Amino acid sequence: MYNPFAVALLALEAQKVVELRLVKLAWGGAEGQAEAQQMVSEKVSAFIEASGTLMTGGSYDMVVTRYREHVAANTKRLSAA
């Protein structure tokens, strides 16, 4: 079973990353292009990590917790610029 409260928090927190990334992409240039490439790379890595967690017996809660850590790191990184 999963914790719907944690999933809701993930959705809210991810919206901030979407906002910050859209601003960076809208500015364009080398930084915008680098962000677009990093975003795609992160999506692929997150999928592989989540799949591995579930295939090795991990729970949905573990996946959501790890995604929230990634989202927090992205929020911090994108807010610093």
Side-chain angles (χ1 to χ4, degrees), residues 10 13-46 67 69-81:
L10 173 60
E13 294 161 352
Q15 286 299 314
K16 184 64 177 174
V17 173
V18 171
E19 174 193 346
L20 293 168
R21 277 195 164 141
L22 284 174
V23 170
K24 195 162 215 171
L25 293 173
W27 278 100
E31 287 185 18
Q33 186 174 16
E35 186 61 35
Q37 290 172 344
Q38 182 170 352
M39 177 180 64
V40 172
S41 173
E42 286 176 356
K43 301 286 183 198
V44 172
S45 295
Y67 265 78
E69 290 172 3
H70 288 299
V71 168
N74 278 326
T75 301
K76 184 177 180 180
R77 178 180 59 80
L78 291 165
S79 296

Side-chain angles (χ1 to χ4, degrees), residues 45-72:
S45 295
F47 172 75
I48 292 169
E49 183 180 346
S51 297
T53 298
L54 295 174
M55 287 192 301
T56 58
S59 69
Y60 293 115
D61 284 331
M62 290 173 67
V63 172
V64 170
T65 299
R66 187 68 178 132
Y67 265 78
R68 288 187 68 206
E69 290 172 3
H70 288 299
V71 168

